[in-house]
Amino acid sequence: MTKAYVKSAAPLKVGIAGLGVVGAGVVRLLDRQAGMLAARAGRPIKVVAVSARDKRKKRDMPKGSWRWYADALDLVGDPEVEVVVELIGGSEGKARALVEAALKAGKGVVTANKALLAMHGSKLAAMAETKDAPLAFEAAVAGGIPILKALREGLVGNRIERITGILNGTCNYILTEMRQTGRDFGVVLKEAQQLGYAEADPSFDVDGIDAAHKLAVLTSLAFNTQVDFKAVHVEGIRHVSATDIAFAKEFGYRIKLLAIAHRTARGIEQRVHPCMVPSDTPIAHVDGVFNAVAAEGDYVGRMMFEGRGAGSNPTASAVVADLADLAAGRRLHAFGVPAVKLQPLKAAPMADHVGRFYIRLIVRDQPGVLADVSAVLRDEKISIESLVQRGRSEAENQPVAVMLISHEAREADMARAMKKISKLRSVLQAPALIRIEPL
């Protein structure tokens, strides 16, 4: 019988900082699944201390005999706490101070904080190894989907070539509702806020920042590079219209906010932006608040993981998975290899990216408009695969929508063309551009 299954093993003693929906979910899960977890991890996992701003707030979790600290940093000084679970959030401030203090004290850290890892992940991994303190963060990317464990363990024998993911449930919900109901972005966003799927300030989600944080972490783990959030090209979904979604459907596509990390001859691309994807691909059918990650390895080919990417229970599941590993003595390097072996990320310039593009123009309905647009594209060596005009009016100079799909073109050439087209007197709005991903 291995040590992991000795019933008399002392419990792993945990301190939790942050008792929001995820923190409360962790407490509930540890309470409800205590016996099963003890059997699987080889010893119990026990919460001995917690920290949150309001002790009197009603929370959906069982009451415990733990010690309560107003200041999360006091968890580090508690002699019983072996592992600190950081669920405060944010890349700086109290969250960063707590994680660094815990690691410096040689205490393990489990966190769901993708922003902290995206900005300081390499440094924290090095600090953890210096102090021989585990750092685990399965819950930081894709909620309940065990994608980090898959990359770090299950796919360890593979050279990863590409990661493609739907990493933000808010954006996926909005785009799904727009497609299914024909409503525009602003209307669906307001509904998402009322339902609790979007924050009062939705910027981190709808502007792509949340997905970019997660992609930076995935890139480091998949390609053994230092975390480099600044190298991620980021665009959100605010400019996606119901017209774009209807046109995509007509031509066999669906629009998704994708996070993509791709090994190329020029370096590693890291990009987050709306994409038109073929409607017959699996990722096109990941709808609502669900997340998905496809990983492509040289030996296994493409593997896809799908599930709930946020929320109390899925995220708590990922946090507890990390705690169970630590209780059982299973420890691996945070980003798959020793921190000193993480290579500086060689970023492929976004300007060199090559792909097909969808372009939406609002122009005056008058002779010569399409000729002017075509001339600009020709000058930038961009050829048109298809063109559709919607809303032709009987009177001249009224606005109409023109949609184009290009053949493969270089990003820098397309950017110059869009700048020139936006200056044409017949073009009434800045062009909208969505990249097409063949998958």
Side-chain angles (χ1 to χ4, degrees):
M1 181 178 291
T2 65
K3 183 179 180 181
Y5 295 95
V6 176
K7 292 183 179 179
S8 62
L12 178 72
K13 296 177 180 178
V14 176
I16 300 177
L19 291 176
V21 293
V22 175
V26 170
V27 174
R28 285 197 308 272
L29 197 161
L30 289 174
D31 179 70
R32 293 176 184 175
Q33 312 282 42
M36 181 184 73
L37 283 167
R40 291 179 173 178
R43 57 174 171 150
I45 301 170
K46 181 181 180 181
V47 179
V48 297
V50 298
S51 174
R53 285 179 292 186
D54 186 355
K55 187 175 182 178
R56 295 170 296 180
K57 181 179 177 181
K58 292 186 68 175
R59 295 175 171 88
D60 180 18
M61 64 182 199
K63 294 182 179 179
S65 58
W66 47 69
R67 290 175 293 284
W68 191 289
Y69 294 106
D71 188 343
L73 287 171
D74 289 338
L75 291 170
V76 178
D78 187 314
E80 265 204 299
V81 172
E82 300 172 82
V83 177
V84 173
V85 178
E86 184 275 304
L87 301 172
I88 300 169
S91 62
E92 304 298 336
K94 186 69 72 174
R96 182 181 179 185
L98 174 63
V99 170
E100 290 184 347
L103 294 176
K104 287 177 182 176
K107 299 196 174 191
V109 171
V110 172
T111 179
N113 193 335
K114 64 268 185 180
L116 177 67
L117 294 162
M119 303 307 295
H120 308 292
S122 301
K123 176 183 175 182
L124 294 175
M127 185 182 299
E129 290 175 16
T130 298
K131 296 296 183 177
D132 194 28
L135 171 64
F137 43 85
E138 184 65 60
V141 179
I145 303 173
I147 183 59
L148 304 186
K149 184 178 284 288
L151 290 171
R152 192 186 293 114
E153 300 175 39
L155 300 177
V156 68
N158 284 257
R159 173 184 166 92
I160 302 299
E161 300 296 335
R162 182 184 176 99
I163 297 286
T164 304
I166 295 173
L167 299 180
N168 185 271
T170 299
C171 288
N172 205 40
Y173 171 83
I174 290 171
L175 292 172
T176 299
E177 286 294 304
M178 289 174 68
R179 189 188 79 245
Q180 293 179 346
T181 67
R183 293 178 295 171
D184 255 317
F185 170 81
V187 177
V188 178
L189 171 60
K190 185 175 181 180
E191 178 183 83
Q193 290 171 318
Q194 293 169 346
L195 293 172
Y197 293 144
E199 302 288 342
D201 179 1
S203 301
F204 259 52
D205 291 320
V206 302
D207 292 334
I209 300 168
D210 173 78
H213 283 152
K214 297 169 183 175
L215 182 65
V217 174
L218 277 174
T219 300
S220 177
L221 191 52
F223 302 108
N224 300 145
T225 62
Q226 294 172 9
V227 185
D228 191 350
F229 174 73
K230 292 180 180 179
V232 184
H233 175 87
V234 188
E235 298 175 23
I237 65 169
R238 292 182 192 267
H239 68 281
V240 178
S241 72
T243 299
D244 301 326
I245 288 176
F247 180 78
K249 181 179 179 181
E250 181 177 336
F251 282 81
Y253 295 104
R254 290 186 177 182
I255 297 177
K256 298 291 183 182
L257 181 75
L258 293 187
I260 300 167
H262 182 209
R263 194 191 301 272
T264 76
R266 306 178 311 279
I268 294 173
E269 286 186 354
Q270 289 186 107
R271 46 192 175 95
V272 172
H273 52 73
C275 295
M276 284 190 178
V277 299
S279 57
D280 60 353
T281 55
I283 208 164
H285 293 272
V286 178
D287 283 338
V289 296
F290 279 71
N291 281 195
V293 183
E296 297 179 27
D298 56 350
Y299 272 71
V300 297
R302 178 179 296 178
M303 302 190 73
M304 184 161 155
F305 304 78
E306 178 185 354
R308 295 190 178 275
S312 174
N313 290 344
T315 310
S317 174
V319 169
V320 171
D322 281 339
L323 290 174
D325 277 347
L326 298 186
R330 295 188 291 266
R331 289 179 55 181
L332 294 172
H333 297 292
F335 288 98
V337 298
V340 294
K341 292 190 176 181
L342 292 172
Q343 298 298 311
L345 185 139
K346 179 184 176 185
M350 189 63 187
D352 291 340
H353 171 70
V354 174
R356 294 164 64 228
F357 296 84
Y358 158 88
I359 305 156
R360 171 173 46 83
L361 304 173
I362 303 299
V363 302
R364 297 185 193 278
D365 188 10
Q366 63 186 29
V369 173
L370 295 181
D372 291 342
V373 170
S374 297
V376 171
L377 294 174
R378 178 202 64 212
D379 291 346
E380 295 298 337
K381 301 181 178 61
I382 299 167
S383 61
I384 300 171
E385 179 182 302
S386 58
L387 181 151
V388 175
Q389 180 174 315
R390 289 283 187 268
R392 186 175 180 86
S393 62
E394 295 183 2
E396 278 195 15
N397 293 320
Q398 295 301 305
V400 295
V402 175
M403 281 74 71
L404 311 170
I405 288 183
S406 77
H407 288 289
E408 281 198 345
R410 187 168 166 266
E411 186 85 23
D413 298 335
M414 183 60 74
R416 283 194 303 271
M418 292 302 96
K419 188 173 182 179
K420 291 178 181 178
I421 287 172
S422 67
K423 293 179 179 179
L424 295 175
R425 293 182 63 183
S426 55
V427 175
L428 304 176
Q429 297 178 12
L433 183 145
I434 299 175
R435 296 165 188 85
I436 298 174
E437 284 293 322
L439 296 179

